[in-house]
Coordinates of all heavy atoms in Angstrom, one line a residue:
M15 N -23.0 47.7 0.8 CA -22.0 47.5 -0.2 C -21.9 46.0 -0.5 O -21.8 45.1 0.4 CB -20.6 48.0 0.3 CG -19.5 47.8 -0.6 SD -17.9 48.3 0.1 CE -17.4 49.5 -1.1
K16 N -21.9 45.7 -1.8 CA -21.9 44.3 -2.2 C -20.4 43.7 -2.1 O -19.5 44.4 -2.4 CB -22.3 44.3 -3.7 CG -22.3 42.9 -4.3 CD -22.8 42.9 -5.7 CE -22.9 41.5 -6.3 NZ -23.4 41.5 -7.6
P17 N -20.3 42.5 -1.5 CA -19.0 41.9 -1.3 C -18.3 41.6 -2.7 O -19.0 41.2 -3.6 CB -19.2 40.6 -0.6 CG -20.6 40.4 -0.5 CD -21.3 41.6 -1.0
T18 N -17.0 41.8 -2.7 CA -16.3 41.5 -4.0 C -15.8 40.1 -4.0 O -15.9 39.4 -3.0 CB -15.0 42.4 -4.1 OG1 -14.1 42.0 -3.0 CG2 -15.4 43.9 -4.0
M19 N -15.3 39.6 -5.1 CA -14.8 38.3 -5.2 C -13.7 38.1 -4.2 O -13.6 37.0 -3.6 CB -14.3 38.0 -6.6 CG -13.8 36.6 -6.8 SD -15.0 35.3 -6.5 CE -15.8 35.2 -8.1
N20 N -12.8 39.1 -4.1 CA -11.7 39.0 -3.1 C -12.2 38.8 -1.7 O -11.7 38.1 -0.9 CB -10.8 40.2 -3.2 CG -9.9 40.1 -4.4 OD1 -9.6 39.0 -4.9 ND2 -9.4 41.2 -4.8
D21 N -13.3 39.5 -1.3 CA -13.9 39.4 0.0 C -14.4 38.0 0.2 O -14.2 37.4 1.3 CB -15.1 40.4 0.2 CG -14.7 41.8 0.2 OD1 -13.5 42.1 0.5 OD2 -15.5 42.7 -0.2
M22 N -15.0 37.4 -0.8 CA -15.6 36.1 -0.6 C -14.4 35.0 -0.5 O -14.5 34.1 0.3 CB -16.5 35.7 -1.8 CG -17.8 36.5 -1.8 SD -19.0 36.1 -3.0 CE -18.3 36.9 -4.5
L23 N -13.4 35.2 -1.3 CA -12.2 34.3 -1.2 C -11.5 34.4 0.1 O -11.1 33.4 0.7 CB -11.2 34.6 -2.4 CG -11.7 34.2 -3.8 CD1 -10.7 34.7 -4.8 CD2 -11.9 32.7 -3.9
E24 N -11.4 35.6 0.6 CA -10.8 35.8 1.9 C -11.6 35.2 3.0 O -11.1 34.5 3.9 CB -10.6 37.3 2.2 CG -10.1 37.6 3.6 CD -8.7 37.1 3.8 OE1 -7.9 36.8 2.9 OE2 -8.3 37.0 5.0
H25 N -12.9 35.3 3.0 CA -13.8 34.6 3.9 C -13.6 33.1 3.9 O -13.5 32.5 4.9 CB -15.2 35.1 3.7 CG -16.2 34.4 4.6 ND1 -16.3 34.8 6.0 CD2 -17.1 33.5 4.4 CE1 -17.2 34.1 6.5 NE2 -17.7 33.3 5.6
T26 N -13.6 32.6 2.7 CA -13.5 31.1 2.5 C -12.1 30.7 3.1 O -12.0 29.6 3.7 CB -13.6 30.8 1.0 OG1 -14.8 31.2 0.5 CG2 -13.4 29.3 0.8
R27 N -11.0 31.4 2.8 CA -9.7 31.1 3.3 C -9.7 31.1 4.8 O -9.2 30.2 5.5 CB -8.6 32.0 2.8 CG -7.2 31.6 3.2 CD -6.2 32.6 2.8 NE -6.4 33.9 3.4 CZ -6.2 34.3 4.7 NH1 -5.8 33.4 5.5 NH2 -6.5 35.5 5.1
Q28 N -10.3 32.1 5.4 CA -10.4 32.2 6.9 C -11.2 31.0 7.5 O -10.8 30.4 8.5 CB -11.0 33.5 7.3 CG -10.1 34.7 7.1 CD -10.8 36.0 7.4 OE1 -12.0 36.1 7.6 NE2 -10.1 37.1 7.4
Q29 N -12.2 30.6 6.8 CA -13.0 29.4 7.3 C -12.2 28.2 7.2 O -12.2 27.3 8.1 CB -14.3 29.2 6.4 CG -15.3 30.3 6.7 CD -16.6 30.0 5.8 OE1 -16.4 29.7 4.6 NE2 -17.7 30.2 6.4
T30 N -11.4 28.0 6.1 CA -10.5 26.9 6.0 C -9.5 26.8 7.1 O -9.2 25.8 7.7 CB -9.8 26.9 4.6 OG1 -10.8 26.8 3.6 CG2 -8.9 25.7 4.4
V31 N -8.8 28.0 7.4 CA -7.8 28.1 8.4 C -8.4 27.7 9.8 O -7.9 26.9 10.5 CB -7.2 29.5 8.5 CG1 -6.4 29.7 9.7 CG2 -6.4 29.7 7.2
E32 N -9.6 28.2 10.1 CA -10.3 27.9 11.4 C -10.6 26.4 11.4 O -10.4 25.8 12.5 CB -11.6 28.7 11.5 CG -11.3 30.2 11.8 CD -12.6 31.0 11.7 OE1 -13.7 30.4 11.9 OE2 -12.5 32.2 11.5
R33 N -11.1 25.8 10.4 CA -11.4 24.4 10.3 C -10.2 23.5 10.5 O -10.2 22.6 11.3 CB -12.1 24.0 9.0 CG -12.7 22.6 9.0 CD -13.5 22.3 7.7 NE -12.6 22.3 6.5 CZ -12.6 23.3 5.6 NH1 -13.5 24.2 5.6 NH2 -11.8 23.2 4.5
L34 N -9.1 23.9 9.8 CA -7.8 23.2 10.0 C -7.3 23.3 11.4 O -6.8 22.3 12.0 CB -6.8 23.7 9.0 CG -6.9 23.1 7.6 CD1 -5.9 23.9 6.7 CD2 -6.6 21.6 7.6
R35 N -7.4 24.4 12.0 CA -6.8 24.6 13.4 C -7.6 23.8 14.4 O -7.0 23.3 15.4 CB -6.9 26.1 13.7 CG -5.8 26.9 13.0 CD -5.8 28.4 13.4 NE -4.7 29.0 12.7 CZ -4.6 30.3 12.5 NH1 -5.6 31.1 12.9 NH2 -3.5 30.9 12.0
K36 N -8.9 23.6 14.1 CA -9.7 22.7 15.0 C -9.4 21.3 14.8 O -9.3 20.5 15.7 CB -11.2 23.0 14.8 CG -11.7 24.3 15.4 CD -13.2 24.5 15.1 CE -13.6 25.8 15.6 NZ -15.0 26.1 15.2
R37 N -9.2 20.9 13.5 CA -8.9 19.5 13.2 C -7.5 19.1 13.5 O -7.2 17.9 13.9 CB -9.1 19.2 11.7 CG -8.9 17.8 11.3 CD -9.3 17.6 9.9 NE -9.3 16.2 9.5 CZ -8.2 15.5 9.1 NH1 -7.1 16.1 9.0 NH2 -8.3 14.2 8.8
L38 N -6.5 20.0 13.4 CA -5.1 19.7 13.6 C -4.5 20.7 14.7 O -3.6 21.4 14.4 CB -4.4 19.8 12.3 CG -4.8 18.9 11.2 CD1 -4.2 19.4 9.9 CD2 -4.5 17.5 11.5
P39 N -4.9 20.6 15.9 CA -4.3 21.4 16.9 C -2.8 21.0 17.2 O -2.4 19.9 16.8 CB -5.1 21.2 18.2 CG -5.7 19.8 18.0 CD -5.9 19.7 16.5
P40 N -2.0 21.9 17.7 CA -0.6 21.6 18.0 C -0.5 20.3 18.8 O -1.3 20.1 19.7 CB -0.1 22.8 18.8 CG -0.9 23.9 18.3 CD -2.3 23.3 18.1
G41 N 0.4 19.4 18.4 CA 0.6 18.1 19.1 C -0.1 17.0 18.3 O 0.2 15.8 18.6
T42 N -0.9 17.3 17.4 CA -1.5 16.2 16.6 C -0.5 15.5 15.8 O 0.4 16.1 15.2 CB -2.6 16.8 15.6 OG1 -3.6 17.5 16.3 CG2 -3.2 15.8 14.7
R43 N -0.6 14.2 15.8 CA 0.4 13.3 15.0 C -0.2 13.0 13.6 O -1.4 12.7 13.5 CB 0.7 12.1 15.8 CG 1.3 12.3 17.1 CD 2.8 12.6 17.0 NE 3.5 11.5 16.5 CZ 4.7 11.5 16.0 NH1 5.3 12.6 15.7 NH2 5.3 10.4 15.6
I44 N 0.7 13.1 12.6 CA 0.3 12.9 11.2 C 1.3 12.0 10.6 O 2.5 11.9 11.1 CB 0.1 14.2 10.4 CG1 1.4 15.0 10.3 CG2 -1.1 15.0 11.0 CD1 1.3 16.1 9.4
V45 N 1.0 11.5 9.4 CA 1.9 10.7 8.6 C 1.8 11.3 7.2 O 0.7 11.6 6.7 CB 1.7 9.2 8.6 CG1 0.3 8.9 8.1 CG2 2.8 8.5 7.9
L46 N 3.0 11.5 6.5 CA 3.1 12.0 5.2 C 2.7 11.0 4.2 O 3.2 9.9 4.2 CB 4.4 12.6 4.9 CG 4.7 13.2 3.5 CD1 3.8 14.4 3.3 CD2 6.1 13.5 3.3
L47 N 1.8 11.3 3.3 CA 1.4 10.4 2.2 C 2.1 10.8 0.9 O 2.6 9.9 0.2 CB -0.1 10.3 2.0 CG -0.9 9.9 3.2 CD1 -2.4 9.9 2.9 CD2 -0.5 8.5 3.7
E48 N 2.1 12.1 0.6 CA 2.7 12.5 -0.6 C 3.0 14.0 -0.5 O 2.2 14.8 -0.1 CB 1.7 12.3 -1.8 CG 2.3 12.7 -3.1 CD 1.2 12.4 -4.2 OE1 0.0 12.4 -4.0 OE2 1.7 12.3 -5.4
M49 N 4.2 14.4 -1.0 CA 4.5 15.8 -1.0 C 5.4 16.0 -2.3 O 6.4 15.3 -2.4 CB 5.3 16.3 0.2 CG 5.7 17.7 0.3 SD 6.7 18.2 1.7 CE 5.6 18.1 3.0
D50 N 5.0 16.9 -3.1 CA 5.8 17.2 -4.4 C 6.8 18.3 -4.1 O 6.6 19.4 -4.5 CB 4.8 17.6 -5.5 CG 5.5 17.7 -6.8 OD1 6.6 17.1 -7.0 OD2 5.0 18.4 -7.7
D51 N 7.9 17.9 -3.5 CA 9.0 18.8 -3.2 C 10.3 18.0 -3.1 O 10.3 17.0 -2.5 CB 8.7 19.5 -1.9 CG 9.7 20.7 -1.6 OD1 10.9 20.5 -1.6 OD2 9.2 21.8 -1.5
V52 N 11.4 18.5 -3.8 CA 12.6 17.8 -3.7 C 13.2 17.6 -2.3 O 14.0 16.7 -2.1 CB 13.7 18.4 -4.7 CG1 13.2 18.4 -6.1 CG2 14.0 19.8 -4.2
Q53 N 12.8 18.5 -1.4 CA 13.3 18.4 0.0 C 12.3 17.7 0.9 O 12.5 17.6 2.1 CB 13.6 19.8 0.5 CG 14.7 20.5 -0.3 CD 15.0 21.9 0.2 OE1 14.4 22.3 1.2 NE2 15.9 22.5 -0.4
A54 N 11.3 17.1 0.3 CA 10.2 16.5 1.1 C 10.8 15.2 1.9 O 11.6 14.5 1.3 CB 9.1 16.0 0.2
P55 N 10.3 15.0 3.1 CA 10.6 13.8 3.7 C 10.0 12.6 3.0 O 9.0 12.8 2.2 CB 10.0 13.9 5.1 CG 9.1 15.1 5.1 CD 9.4 15.9 3.9
P56 N 10.5 11.4 3.1 CA 9.9 10.3 2.4 C 8.4 10.0 2.8 O 8.1 10.3 4.0 CB 10.8 9.1 2.8 CG 11.9 9.6 3.5 CD 11.6 11.0 3.9
A57 N 7.6 9.5 1.9 CA 6.3 9.1 2.3 C 6.4 8.1 3.4 O 7.3 7.3 3.5 CB 5.6 8.5 1.1
G58 N 5.4 8.2 4.4 CA 5.4 7.4 5.6 C 6.1 8.0 6.8 O 6.0 7.5 7.9
T59 N 6.8 9.2 6.6 CA 7.4 9.9 7.7 C 6.3 10.5 8.6 O 5.4 11.1 8.1 CB 8.3 11.0 7.2 OG1 9.3 10.4 6.3 CG2 9.0 11.7 8.3
K60 N 6.5 10.3 9.9 CA 5.5 10.8 10.8 C 6.0 12.1 11.3 O 7.2 12.4 11.3 CB 5.4 9.9 12.0 CG 4.7 8.5 11.6 CD 4.6 7.6 12.8 CE 4.0 6.3 12.5 NZ 4.0 5.4 13.6
G61 N 5.1 12.9 11.8 CA 5.5 14.2 12.3 C 4.4 14.7 13.3 O 3.3 14.2 13.5
T62 N 4.8 15.8 14.0 CA 3.9 16.5 15.0 C 3.5 17.9 14.5 O 4.4 18.6 14.1 CB 4.6 16.6 16.3 OG1 5.0 15.2 16.7 CG2 3.7 17.2 17.4
V63 N 2.2 18.1 14.4 CA 1.7 19.4 14.0 C 2.2 20.5 15.0 O 2.0 20.3 16.2 CB 0.2 19.4 13.8 CG1 -0.3 20.8 13.5 CG2 -0.2 18.5 12.7
R64 N 2.8 21.6 14.5 CA 3.1 22.7 15.4 C 2.1 23.8 15.3 O 2.0 24.7 16.2 CB 4.5 23.3 15.0 CG 5.6 22.3 15.2 CD 7.0 22.9 14.9 NE 7.1 23.2 13.4 CZ 7.3 24.5 12.9 NH1 7.4 25.5 13.7 NH2 7.4 24.7 11.7
G65 N 1.3 23.8 14.3 CA 0.2 24.8 14.1 C -0.2 24.9 12.7 O 0.3 24.2 11.8
V66 N -1.1 25.8 12.4 CA -1.6 26.2 11.1 C -1.5 27.7 10.9 O -2.0 28.4 11.7 CB -3.1 25.7 10.9 CG1 -3.6 26.2 9.5 CG2 -3.2 24.2 11.0
D67 N -0.8 28.1 9.9 CA -0.6 29.6 9.7 C -1.8 30.2 9.0 O -2.8 29.5 8.7 CB 0.7 29.9 9.0 CG 0.8 29.5 7.5 OD1 -0.3 29.2 6.9 OD2 1.9 29.5 7.0
D68 N -1.8 31.5 8.8 CA -2.9 32.2 8.3 C -3.1 32.0 6.8 O -4.1 32.4 6.2 CB -2.7 33.7 8.5 CG -2.8 34.2 9.9 OD1 -3.4 33.4 10.7 OD2 -2.3 35.2 10.3
M69 N -2.2 31.3 6.1 CA -2.4 30.9 4.7 C -2.8 29.4 4.6 O -2.8 28.9 3.5 CB -1.1 31.1 3.9 CG -0.7 32.6 3.9 SD -2.0 33.6 3.1 CE -2.0 33.0 1.5
A70 N -3.1 28.8 5.7 CA -3.5 27.4 5.8 C -2.4 26.4 5.5 O -2.7 25.2 5.2 CB -4.7 27.1 4.8
N71 N -1.2 26.8 5.7 CA 0.0 25.9 5.6 C 0.0 25.2 7.0 O -0.2 25.8 8.0 CB 1.3 26.6 5.4 CG 1.4 27.2 4.1 OD1 1.2 26.6 3.0 ND2 1.6 28.5 4.0
I72 N 0.2 23.9 6.9 CA 0.3 23.1 8.2 C 1.8 23.0 8.6 O 2.6 22.4 7.8 CB -0.3 21.7 7.9 CG1 -1.8 21.9 7.5 CG2 -0.2 20.8 9.2 CD1 -2.4 20.6 6.8
L73 N 2.1 23.5 9.7 CA 3.5 23.6 10.2 C 3.8 22.3 11.0 O 3.0 21.9 11.9 CB 3.6 24.8 11.2 CG 3.1 26.1 10.7 CD1 3.2 27.2 11.7 CD2 3.7 26.5 9.4
V74 N 4.8 21.6 10.5 CA 5.1 20.2 11.0 C 6.5 20.1 11.5 O 7.4 20.5 10.8 CB 4.8 19.1 10.0 CG1 5.0 17.7 10.5 CG2 3.4 19.3 9.4
A75 N 6.7 19.4 12.6 CA 8.1 19.0 13.1 C 8.1 17.5 12.7 O 7.5 16.7 13.4 CB 8.2 19.2 14.6
W76 N 8.8 17.2 11.7 CA 8.9 15.8 11.2 C 9.9 15.0 12.1 O 10.8 15.6 12.6 CB 9.4 15.7 9.8 CG 8.5 16.4 8.8 CD1 8.6 17.6 8.2 CD2 7.2 15.9 8.4 NE1 7.5 17.9 7.4 CE2 6.6 16.8 7.5 CE3 6.5 14.7 8.7 CZ2 5.4 16.6 6.9 CZ3 5.3 14.5 8.1 CH2 4.7 15.5 7.2
D77 N 9.5 13.7 12.3 CA 10.3 12.9 13.2 C 11.8 12.7 12.7 O 12.7 12.4 13.5 CB 9.7 11.5 13.4 CG 8.4 11.6 14.2 OD1 8.0 12.7 14.7 OD2 7.7 10.5 14.3
N78 N 12.0 13.0 11.5 CA 13.4 12.8 10.9 C 14.2 14.1 11.1 O 15.3 14.2 10.6 CB 13.4 12.4 9.5 CG 12.8 13.4 8.5 OD1 12.4 14.5 9.0 ND2 12.8 13.1 7.2
G79 N 13.6 15.1 11.8 CA 14.3 16.4 12.0 C 14.0 17.5 11.1 O 14.4 18.6 11.3
G80 N 13.2 17.2 10.0 CA 12.9 18.2 9.1 C 11.7 19.1 9.6 O 11.1 18.7 10.6
S81 N 11.5 20.2 8.9 CA 10.4 21.1 9.3 C 9.6 21.6 8.1 O 9.0 22.7 8.2 CB 10.9 22.2 10.2 OG 11.9 23.0 9.5
L82 N 9.7 21.0 6.9 CA 9.0 21.5 5.7 C 7.5 21.4 5.9 O 6.9 20.4 6.4 CB 9.4 20.6 4.5 CG 9.0 21.1 3.2 CD1 9.7 22.4 2.9 CD2 9.4 20.1 2.1
N83 N 6.8 22.5 5.7 CA 5.4 22.6 5.9 C 4.6 21.9 4.8 O 5.0 21.8 3.7 CB 5.0 24.1 5.9 CG 5.6 24.9 7.0 OD1 6.0 24.4 8.0 ND2 5.8 26.2 6.8
L84 N 3.4 21.5 5.2 CA 2.5 20.9 4.3 C 1.6 22.0 3.7 O 1.2 23.0 4.4 CB 1.5 19.9 5.0 CG 2.1 18.7 5.5 CD1 1.1 17.9 6.4 CD2 2.6 17.8 4.3
V85 N 1.4 22.0 2.4 CA 0.5 23.0 1.7 C -0.8 22.3 1.6 O -1.0 21.3 0.9 CB 1.1 23.3 0.3 CG1 0.1 24.3 -0.4 CG2 2.5 23.9 0.4
Y86 N -1.8 23.0 2.3 CA -3.2 22.4 2.3 C -3.7 22.4 0.9 O -3.6 23.3 0.1 CB -4.1 23.3 3.2 CG -5.5 22.8 3.2 CD1 -5.9 21.7 3.8 CD2 -6.5 23.5 2.5 CE1 -7.2 21.2 3.8 CE2 -7.8 23.1 2.5 CZ -8.1 21.9 3.1 OH -9.4 21.5 3.1
G87 N -4.3 21.3 0.5 CA -4.9 21.1 -0.8 C -4.0 20.6 -1.9 O -4.4 20.3 -3.0
V88 N -2.7 20.6 -1.5 CA -1.6 20.1 -2.5 C -1.0 18.9 -1.9 O -1.0 17.8 -2.6 CB -0.6 21.2 -2.7 CG1 0.5 20.7 -3.6 CG2 -1.2 22.5 -3.3
D89 N -0.4 18.9 -0.8 CA 0.3 17.8 -0.1 C -0.8 16.9 0.5 O -1.8 17.3 1.0 CB 1.3 18.3 0.9 CG 2.4 19.2 0.3 OD1 2.8 18.9 -0.9 OD2 2.8 20.1 0.9
R90 N -0.4 15.6 0.6 CA -1.3 14.6 1.2 C -0.7 14.1 2.5 O 0.4 13.8 2.6 CB -1.6 13.5 0.2 CG -2.4 14.0 -1.0 CD -2.7 12.9 -2.0 NE -3.2 11.7 -1.4 CZ -2.7 10.5 -1.6 NH1 -1.7 10.4 -2.4 NH2 -3.2 9.5 -1.0
Y91 N -1.6 14.0 3.5 CA -1.2 13.5 4.8 C -2.4 12.7 5.4 O -3.5 12.8 4.9 CB -0.8 14.6 5.7 CG -1.9 15.5 6.1 CD1 -2.7 15.3 7.2 CD2 -2.3 16.6 5.2 CE1 -3.8 16.1 7.5 CE2 -3.4 17.4 5.5 CZ -4.1 17.1 6.7 OH -5.2 17.9 7.0
S92 N -2.1 12.0 6.5 CA -3.2 11.4 7.2 C -3.0 11.6 8.7 O -1.8 11.6 9.2 CB -3.2 9.9 7.0 OG -4.3 9.2 7.7
K93 N -4.1 11.9 9.4 CA -4.0 12.1 10.9 C -3.9 10.8 11.5 O -4.7 9.8 11.2 CB -5.3 12.9 11.3 CG -5.3 13.3 12.7 CD -6.6 14.1 12.9 CE -6.8 14.4 14.4 NZ -8.0 15.2 14.6
L94 N -3.0 10.6 12.5 CA -2.8 9.3 13.2 C -3.6 9.3 14.5 O -3.7 10.3 15.1 CB -1.4 9.1 13.5 CG -0.4 9.0 12.4 CD1 1.0 9.0 12.9 CD2 -0.7 7.7 11.6
N95 N -4.2 8.1 14.8 CA -4.7 8.0 16.1 C -3.6 7.4 17.0 O -2.6 7.0 16.5 CB -6.0 7.1 16.1 CG -5.8 5.7 15.7 OD1 -4.8 5.1 16.1 ND2 -6.7 5.2 14.9
A96 N -3.8 7.4 18.3 CA -2.7 7.0 19.2 C -2.3 5.5 19.0 O -1.1 5.3 19.0 CB -3.2 7.1 20.7
W97 N -3.2 4.6 18.6 CA -2.8 3.3 18.4 C -1.9 3.2 17.1 O -0.9 2.5 17.1 CB -4.0 2.4 18.2 CG -3.7 0.9 18.1 CD1 -3.5 0.0 19.1 CD2 -3.3 0.2 16.9 NE1 -3.2 -1.2 18.6 CE2 -3.0 -1.1 17.3 CE3 -3.3 0.5 15.6 CZ2 -2.7 -2.1 16.3 CZ3 -2.9 -0.4 14.6 CH2 -2.6 -1.7 15.0
E98 N -2.3 3.8 16.1 CA -1.5 3.8 14.8 C -0.1 4.4 15.1 O 0.9 3.9 14.6 CB -2.2 4.6 13.7 CG -3.4 4.0 13.2 CD -4.2 5.0 12.3 OE1 -4.2 6.2 12.6 OE2 -4.9 4.5 11.4
D99 N 0.0 5.5 15.8 CA 1.3 6.1 16.1 C 2.2 5.2 16.9 O 3.3 5.0 16.6 CB 1.0 7.4 16.9 CG 2.2 8.3 16.9 OD1 3.1 8.2 16.0 OD2 2.3 9.2 17.7
E100 N 1.6 4.6 18.0 CA 2.4 3.7 18.8 C 2.9 2.4 18.2 O 3.9 1.9 18.5 CB 1.6 3.4 20.1 CG 1.5 4.6 21.0 CD 0.6 4.3 22.2 OE1 0.3 3.1 22.5 OE2 0.2 5.2 22.9
N101 N 2.0 1.9 17.3 CA 2.3 0.6 16.7 C 2.8 0.6 15.3 O 3.0 -0.4 14.7 CB 1.0 -0.3 16.7 CG 0.6 -0.6 18.1 OD1 1.3 -1.4 18.8 ND2 -0.4 0.0 18.6
G102 N 3.1 1.8 14.8 CA 3.7 2.0 13.5 C 2.8 1.6 12.3 O 3.2 1.3 11.2
K103 N 1.5 1.5 12.6 CA 0.5 1.1 11.5 C -0.1 2.3 10.9 O -0.4 3.3 11.6 CB -0.6 0.2 12.1 CG -0.1 -1.0 12.8 CD 0.5 -2.0 11.9 CE 0.9 -3.2 12.8 NZ 1.7 -4.2 12.0
V104 N -0.2 2.3 9.6 CA -0.8 3.4 8.9 C -1.9 2.9 8.0 O -1.7 1.9 7.4 CB 0.2 4.3 8.1 CG1 -0.5 5.4 7.4 CG2 1.3 4.8 9.0

């Protein structure tokens, strides 16, 4: 049976989720660069990744107490290394 477009899109989404879960395991520190949402934390807010859901949303516990998720491919963030996180450099 020939795969449908939906089958191909589902496979691509699953690959994206797996790649994100490897790149951003729980505990990974990130910094927000841009989020188009009225409830978004300010750019520069740091957070800790809680996980990646099946739709490729990045679940974040923001240092300011918020928990608004990042939408992969829409919102912009940067992964922090330990030195950047400890020294406040981005």
Side-chain angles (χ1 to χ4, degrees):
M15 176 183 238
K16 184 176 179 180
T18 66
M19 181 62 84
N20 283 339
D21 293 337
M22 291 186 283
L23 290 172
E24 177 63 18
H25 179 71
T26 301
R27 185 188 57 75
Q28 288 175 351
Q29 288 179 318
T30 299
V31 168
E32 289 174 21
R33 188 176 66 248
L34 279 172
R35 286 179 175 161
K36 287 179 184 174
R37 183 175 187 272
L38 299 169
T42 301
R43 297 284 291 159
I44 62 171
V45 61
L46 180 64
L47 301 177
E48 181 180 25
M49 184 186 285
D50 186 21
D51 191 300
V52 295
Q53 297 179 4
T59 301
K60 294 179 183 178
T62 303
V63 174
R64 294 183 297 119
V66 176
D67 70 14
D68 291 340
M69 295 302 295
N71 293 306
I72 302 163
L73 314 176
V74 182
W76 297 105
D77 290 358
N78 67 357
S81 60
L82 192 62
N83 299 333
L84 293 170
V85 177
Y86 178 73
V88 176
D89 300 323
R90 294 181 43 234
Y91 66 93
S92 181
K93 185 175 171 181
L94 295 172
N95 64 42
W97 186 89
E98 291 168 325
D99 195 22
E100 290 175 12
N101 294 290
K103 307 290 182 190
V104 179

